[in-house]
Amino acid sequence: MNIRRELWFGLSFMALIVVGAAAMLLSADTITNGHLGLLMLSLVVVAIMLGFPTAFTLMGMGMLFTWLAYDRDWHRTLDLMVQSAYKTMANDVLIAVPLFVFMGYLVERANLIESLFKSLHLALARLPGALAVATLVTCTIFATATGIVGAVVTLMGLLALPAMLRAGYSVPLAAGAITAGGCLGILIPPSVLLIVYGATAGVSVVQLYAGAFFPGLMLASLYVVYVIIIAWFKPQWAPPLSQAERVVPLPPLSQRLADSPAAHAVVGLLKGRRNADVPFSHVLKQLGIVVMPGVLFLLAAGLSYQAVTTVEAQARYEIQEIGAAGAASGESSAGGLQEPPSNDSLKEPPPEGGLQEPPSEETAASSGPLAEPPGAAAEAAAPAAAVAEPPAAASSAPAEGATVRPAPTWWWVTFAVFGAMVTLFYLFLSFARLEIFKMLLASFFPLVLLILSVLGSIVLGLATPTEAAAMGALGGMLLAAAYRRLNLTVLKESVFLTAKTSAMVCWLFVGSAIFSAAFALLGGQALVEQWVLSMNLTKVQFLILSQVIIFLLGWPLEWTEIIVIFMPIFIPLLDNFGVDPLFFGLLVALNLQTAFLSPPVAMAAFYLKGVSPSHVTLNQIFLGMLPFMGIQVLAIVLLYIWPQIGLWLPQLLYK
């Protein structure tokens, strides 16, 4: 009987788990509830690998072992199940999941990916491996906007893979670029993975989004650099585009303005004898597109310069801490509440006389003026301001005017770079490049604007993740409507797929809550913690051990199963080693990229195989994914060596 190697791997892995669980039980002197918890964990992994639904496997195993832990008491078991499910349903962070998923399905159906890929591969035509680089950039942007790995890999497999194969690209390189680029959507925010991790680990989703931004860009940049290096040293694997493939056809009116596509656009658009037969409205429209980058650069530079150089006026208050002045001078403060005299205690009124009439004028005149109450003389000697005005009015000094400070170095460097880019844009702006820029305006910039508006509102604190997700869903609808793709059929499909995906995520959370409660009840968490602490690991050794375990779990399991099953086991251990849960989450998010690329459950490979030509084999796809898995490991190492890659932005914004 011939069995495929993937099945051999899966069966061997399951056999290894079963043997390990049996050895653990047989070696124990006394089988405690903690051992039952580890047995439950092993059975869950085996059942998932056999194909049972993850959510219901977690719920079923959790209820069964909870029933055993409660001495076969069904009432307490059902109570725990209901409480765990309600705790999950009351988690308002999960509201963002269906909204982000809905945004992704709408953007996917706006069909921007074809024009985006075409414009990018023309814009990057002079780079080595231009098609593969354009594929990675397209996958990064589209995966970030949608967050749906299967959709991005499938669409790019239909669009980019045939183009790269026609251009003579190596099959492994083309397949690796598509699968690795499509998986970036689970790392770069807005990412459903980060929401699930944040809800599981109790970490702020806003800080996770801010922290994952630069590691995601770093990983995408490493992919691009790898492709360029391979295309440079192995041009037969990624041949450059021919001159015919770089030609950009000009519209008829633009052909009248230019002698050739390489003619300078700014010079050609100036009204003169050469373009007298071209409508002025067309020339004005083209000039408006040409000056747009310069105007935007000047606006951004001016507004940001004012923001970084202006110090807002602040009211200064002279309020002192209660008792501070008295402690410093050794004297009681003038005005305000004072301690009553210590030598006078409360006395009873004199028994004789009782209530008496107030003194008459003669009596008052003969006895002298009325004496002031004790302490009034001291108050009279105090400054008049302390007596006449209320505290807030008396102690507030007039606010100083706004001051100006020099612009920081990073501002000058940033806008020097952008200024050089704008200058080069105008120096080399031909009519062909103007057409490419117009294609980017119609495909690239709307997606980038949608992504940045959603992320910016979250990271800058203008909106919660749920509110930003709602605005992103509205933006996805407007984008689909702008490209005339929004109709009742598209809306029904998007709503149905959103409900399906959201139900899967929410059932996973319910199952995870029941499983985690059962695991903690059985004492499995305490047993794991005791075992890890007995190894006397350092912080570095613990991080290496945890990341290796997660890396190996990514081979048979998907990222959802790793997050909901194993993160509740790792998170309680972080305090013992002084590991920040935010930093640990960024390492896990980078590591889980491998879950989509590692065989035998490499879902990205199966998505691509389903739409690729018949001569593209699964082994070729797996071979192409291996270098990108190595790059992912390199990115994890870089993030550990320089943690500020992920922690700088959250610390800048929130600390």
Side-chain angles (χ1 to χ4, degrees):
M1 181 177 62
N2 293 326
I3 300 179
R4 296 169 59 182
R5 280 179 288 182
E6 297 89 340
L7 291 178
W8 273 118
F9 177 84
L11 292 174
S12 302
F13 198 88
M14 285 188 287
L16 185 63
I17 293 174
V18 172
V19 170
M24 175 197 66
L25 294 176
L26 293 175
S27 61
D29 297 332
T30 303
I31 297 178
T32 62
N33 282 343
H35 294 93
L36 292 180
L38 295 179
L39 178 63
M40 177 181 68
L41 178 63
S42 305
L43 292 177
V44 163
V45 174
V46 171
I48 291 172
M49 292 186 64
L50 287 174
F52 289 94
T54 304
F56 300 106
T57 301
L58 290 171
M59 283 188 283
M61 289 290 184
M63 290 184 63
L64 176 61
F65 280 85
T66 301
W67 177 68
L68 294 176
Y70 277 142
D71 295 327
R72 297 165 180 79
D73 187 345
W74 278 111
H75 293 287
R76 297 170 68 188
T77 302
L78 293 175
D79 287 342
L80 179 67
M81 183 192 73
V82 172
Q83 291 169 4
S84 302
Y86 179 77
K87 181 182 69 174
T88 300
M89 295 167 63
N91 190 346
D92 56 357
V93 175
L94 296 179
I95 302 175
V97 172
L99 293 171
F100 276 130
V101 173
F102 184 60
M103 179 188 78
Y105 281 120
L106 285 173
V107 171
E108 175 200 347
R109 275 151 178 72
N111 202 19
L112 290 175
I113 194 167
E114 184 174 356
S115 57
L116 178 63
F117 175 69
K118 183 178 180 181
S119 59
L120 283 175
H121 101 257
L122 288 173
L124 303 172
R126 295 183 179 275
L127 280 178
L131 280 175
V133 173
T135 298
L136 285 169
V137 176
T138 304
C139 285
T140 302
I141 297 170
F142 207 68
T144 304
T146 61
I148 307 166
V149 173
V152 177
V153 174
T154 301
L155 289 173
M156 290 305 294
L158 291 170
L159 182 64
L161 185 61
M164 285 192 280
L165 294 181
R166 284 195 303 268
Y169 273 61
S170 164
V171 173
L173 179 62
I178 293 173
T179 52
C183 295
L184 288 170
I186 66 172
L187 172 62
I188 303 177
S191 164
V192 176
L193 180 147
L194 297 176
I195 297 177
V196 175
Y197 175 83
T200 303
V203 181
S204 169
V205 177
V206 177
Q207 295 191 22
L208 281 171
Y209 275 7
F213 184 72
F214 286 114
L217 291 183
M218 175 187 69
L219 184 59
S221 303
L222 289 175
Y223 289 163
V224 170
V225 169
Y226 165 75
V227 168
I228 292 176
I229 292 174
I230 288 296
W232 182 272
F233 289 101
K234 298 281 187 180
Q236 66 274 16
W237 288 7
L241 292 174
S242 63
Q243 192 63 37
E245 292 173 321
R246 300 182 189 180
V247 173
V248 181
L250 300 181
L253 291 177
S254 296
Q255 291 178 4
R256 300 182 192 176
L257 294 172
D259 298 330
S260 68
H264 201 280
V266 178
V267 177
L269 286 171
L270 296 178
K271 189 68 176 176
R273 187 178 306 169
R274 291 178 302 172
N275 51 12
D277 57 340
V278 179
F280 182 70
S281 60
H282 176 75
V283 176
L284 197 62
K285 181 180 178 181
Q286 303 303 309
L287 280 174
I289 296 174
V290 168
V291 301
M292 185 187 301
V295 172
L296 291 177
F297 171 76
L298 293 177
L299 283 175
L303 294 175
S304 62
Y305 181 82
Q306 184 179 5
V308 300
T309 57
T310 303
V311 180
E312 296 294 334
Q314 296 181 354
R316 299 178 61 186
Y317 297 95
E318 298 176 357
I319 298 176
Q320 293 181 345
E321 185 179 354
I322 296 176
S329 62
E331 300 177 358
S332 61
S333 174
L337 296 176
Q338 296 183 358
E339 187 178 348
S342 58
N343 55 355
D344 275 343
S345 59
L346 294 177
K347 300 179 180 179
E348 295 184 6
E352 65 280 357
L355 295 176
Q356 300 179 1
E357 292 183 7
S360 61
E361 295 181 2
E362 293 83 359
T363 309
S366 63
S367 60
L370 290 173
E372 294 182 355
E379 293 181 5
V387 178
E389 298 184 24
S395 58
S396 62
E400 297 180 357
T403 59
V404 178
R405 61 185 175 187
T409 305
W410 65 264
W411 186 91
W412 290 108
V413 172
T414 301
F415 277 90
V417 173
F418 279 107
M421 293 171 62
V422 173
T423 304
L424 292 174
F425 171 80
Y426 284 113
L427 284 177
F428 297 100
L429 183 62
S430 63
F431 277 95
R433 292 193 176 96
L434 179 60
E435 291 302 313
I436 296 174
F437 180 66
K438 288 159 64 176
M439 293 168 64
L440 290 173
L441 280 179
S443 59
F444 176 78
F445 290 106
L447 280 177
V448 172
L449 182 62
L450 177 64
I451 295 168
L452 292 181
S453 61
V454 172
L455 286 184
S457 61
I458 296 174
V459 171
L460 297 178
L462 302 177
T464 64
T466 302
E467 294 166 347
M471 295 305 297
L474 176 62
M477 291 185 67
L478 294 178
L479 201 60
Y483 288 90
R484 299 180 182 179
R485 300 282 181 178
L486 186 64
N487 52 47
L488 187 59
T489 303
V490 168
L491 196 60
K492 285 171 60 178
E493 289 178 355
S494 301
V495 170
F496 173 75
L497 292 172
T498 299
K500 184 178 178 181
T501 306
S502 304
M504 181 268 294
V505 172
C506 292
W507 274 119
L508 271 176
F509 260 96
V510 172
S512 170
I514 296 173
F515 172 81
S516 301
F519 192 71
L521 179 66
L522 289 167
Q525 178 63 48
L527 196 63
V528 171
E529 186 170 350
Q530 180 183 356
W531 173 68
V532 172
L533 294 178
S534 67
M535 298 172 67
N536 295 322
L537 300 176
T538 64
K539 178 181 176 181
V540 176
Q541 292 170 338
F542 169 74
L543 284 174
I544 293 175
L545 176 65
S546 60
Q547 296 306 315
V548 168
I549 291 174
I550 293 171
F551 178 79
L552 295 177
L553 289 173
W555 291 64
L557 301 177
E558 295 187 35
W559 69 265
T560 50
E561 296 153 356
I562 296 173
I563 290 287
V564 300
I565 297 174
F566 291 95
M567 285 306 104
I569 299 175
F570 281 112
I571 296 302
L573 297 171
L574 300 182
D575 287 339
N576 297 315
F577 295 95
V579 179
D580 185 2
L582 172 62
F583 179 63
F584 188 76
L586 299 179
L587 290 174
V588 170
L590 271 176
N591 202 341
L592 287 179
Q593 294 284 305
T594 60
F596 279 93
L597 301 183
S598 52
V601 193
M603 295 307 299
F606 295 108
Y607 292 144
L608 183 60
K609 175 58 181 172
V611 295
S612 58
S614 57
H615 68 275
V616 176
T617 64
L618 203 57
N619 287 336
Q620 288 177 313
I621 298 175
F622 284 148
L623 182 62
M625 293 190 303
L626 289 179
F628 291 94
M629 288 179 62
I631 294 174
Q632 291 167 358
V633 175
L634 174 63
I636 295 172
V637 174
L638 292 176
L639 180 60
Y640 180 76
I641 296 175
W642 293 288
Q644 289 303 111
I645 297 174
L647 298 180
W648 174 77
L649 189 57
Q651 290 174 351
L652 176 69
L653 295 174
Y654 310 118
K655 296 181 182 178

